[in-house]
């Protein structure tokens, strides 16, 4: 049994002031949480000011992106070592980074290593495109992205990371995966982790679902075997919708997290 993890990915939305107001409002709406860990991924600019603010509340912060080297002549980049102590999580391999910014497996695994090295929990995003799904390549894509992203880290480190299963065709489209498909994918993810890193790592790794999650469908994923939480984009921009999802999660009967193996 463990707390469910709910991550808000605000992408390139909300100013620093808007982000700060949001945190204040969210805190008022959800109050003290017992069963849910809430993580906010605002614009990079807001991380430092929000860090002070969230310390008073019970939220954690995630960075949406960073560079994998710790320091040096890399104009415009921010490193995991500079983010150390400010964020608890780092989103890595998001489909927008893979597809719009052409990030490759090599970049992604270097970021996973950099996060681990700097005490930041990686949230490794994986998932198939619509074309890959139509070609029945979902399992191959999941396996390749896990192998590519997790090379060079130990089984102990893998057990502490978070995997977000986010089918690309469901991100920001309003087309969400069926809980049955999510259960199947999550089972496959844990089987691959077990194959690569052993049983303990497969049991410990947290697996989230992300893709057009909203107030109406959130519960169906939270109740899906093997799912430890959610990664939410668009619906997290509306503080009332996001608070509603958190409250549903918080009020869920506390069943043991079924690993779906
Ligand atoms: C995301 O960007 O990770 C995401 C899941 O977005 P949305 O909820 O908007 O589909």
């Amino acid at each position: 049994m463990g707390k469910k993890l709910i991550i808000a990915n605000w992408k390139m939305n909300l100013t620093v002031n808007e982000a700060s107001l949001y945190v204040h409002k969210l805190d008022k709406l959800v109050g003290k949480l017992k069963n849910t860990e809430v993580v906010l991924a605002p614009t990079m600019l807001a991380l430092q000011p929000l860090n002070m603010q969230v310390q008073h509340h019970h939220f954690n912060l995630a960075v949406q992106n960073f560079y994998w080297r710790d320091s040096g002549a890399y104009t415009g980049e921010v490193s995991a070592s500079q983010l150390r102590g400010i964020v608890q999580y780092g989103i890595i391999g998001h489909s927008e980074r893979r597809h719009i910014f052409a990030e490759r497996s090599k970049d992604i695994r270097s970021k996973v290593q950099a996060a681990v090295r700097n005490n930041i929990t990686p949230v490794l995003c994986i998932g198939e495109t619509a074309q890959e799904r139509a070609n029945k390549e979902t399992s191959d894509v999941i396996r390749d992205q896990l192998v590519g992203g997790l090379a060079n880290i130990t089984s102990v480190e893998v057990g502490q990371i978070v995997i977000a299963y986010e089918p690309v065709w469901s991100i920001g489209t309003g087309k969400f995966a069926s809980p049955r498909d999510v259960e199947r994918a999550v089972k496959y993810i844990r089987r691959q982790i077990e194959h690569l890193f052993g049983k303990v790592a497969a049991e410990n790794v947290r697996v989230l679902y992300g893709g057009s999650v909203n107030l109406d469908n959130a519960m169906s994923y939270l109740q899906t075997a093997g799912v430890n939480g959610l990664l939410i984009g668009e619906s997290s921009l509306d503080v009332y919708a996001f608070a509603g999802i958190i409250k549903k999660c918080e009020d869920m009967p506390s069943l043991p997290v079924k690993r779906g193996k």
Side-chain angles (χ1 to χ4, degrees):
M1 238 171 64
K3 285 188 180 191
K4 294 281 190 191
L5 175 62
I6 300 193
I7 305 180
N9 178 14
W10 293 342
K11 312 191 185 190
M12 202 171 67
N13 295 294
L14 304 187
T15 63
V16 177
N17 281 347
E18 286 165 346
S20 171
L21 281 173
Y22 182 115
V23 172
H24 182 73
K25 233 185 231 172
L26 185 65
D27 184 56
K28 286 252 169 316
L29 289 169
V30 300
K32 204 156 177 52
L33 299 169
K34 281 212 291 271
N35 308 318
T36 317
E37 178 182 355
V38 175
V39 176
L40 305 171
T43 165
M44 182 86 76
L45 284 172
L47 289 172
Q48 181 81 61
L50 285 194
N51 178 38
M52 313 270 191
Q53 194 180 352
V54 296
Q55 277 175 20
H56 297 293
H57 308 305
H58 23 259
F59 308 133
N60 281 323
L61 290 177
V63 64
Q64 295 177 19
N65 181 41
F66 56 90
Y67 189 50
W68 58 271
R69 289 201 191 266
D70 281 344
S71 63
Y74 304 102
T75 302
E77 295 296 325
V78 174
S79 71
S81 75
Q82 292 172 313
L83 291 155
R84 194 187 179 109
I86 299 174
V87 299
Q88 292 70 43
Y89 291 86
I91 298 175
I92 301 170
H94 190 280
S95 75
E96 287 149 20
R97 300 292 324 167
R98 291 181 195 261
H99 297 112
I100 304 173
F101 300 99
E103 284 191 10
R104 299 151 301 168
S105 277
K106 194 162 138 285
D107 307 304
I108 291 162
R109 72 169 150 266
S110 298
K111 289 184 181 193
V112 170
Q113 280 178 272
V116 168
R117 187 165 73 235
N118 286 289
N119 233 357
I120 294 170
T121 302
V123 180
L124 175 63
C125 301
I126 59 173
E128 79 286 359
T129 62
Q131 189 59 55
E132 289 161 343
R133 179 177 157 87
N135 295 346
K136 304 209 178 319
E137 292 168 349
T138 300
S139 302
D140 294 342
V141 172
I142 289 176
R143 193 188 51 242
D144 287 354
Q145 292 183 348
L146 285 174
V147 171
L150 299 176
N152 305 333
I153 61 168
T154 68
S155 54
V156 174
E157 289 163 348
V158 168
Q160 288 158 7
I161 78 166
V162 177
I163 307 285
Y165 172 59
E166 299 206 300
V168 179
W169 52 269
S170 74
I171 297 180
T173 58
K175 293 184 199 154
F176 42 88
S178 72
R180 183 87 194 85
D181 281 350
V182 173
E183 182 174 348
R184 215 175 289 133
V186 170
K187 227 186 235 182
Y188 185 74
I189 289 168
R190 284 194 201 279
R191 233 185 296 133
Q192 289 309 307
I193 300 279
E194 179 166 349
H195 177 67
L196 294 165
F197 297 98
K199 212 174 159 86
V200 176
E203 277 169 7
N204 289 342
V205 73
R206 285 174 290 172
V207 185
L208 313 182
Y209 169 71
S212 296
V213 172
N214 58 38
L215 196 49
D216 296 328
N217 64 22
M219 274 306 274
S220 64
Y221 301 115
L222 289 168
Q223 289 170 330
T224 295
V227 173
N228 301 101
L230 304 168
L231 176 50
I232 307 177
E234 200 165 322
S235 295
S236 73
L237 289 171
D238 174 347
V239 69
Y240 296 100
F242 190 58
I245 294 171
I246 294 168
K247 282 209 253 177
K248 283 191 176 189
C249 180
E250 189 64 10
D251 295 341
M252 252 174 69
S254 56
L255 298 169
V257 175
K258 288 182 276 167
R259 294 297 182 187
K261 294 184 69 199

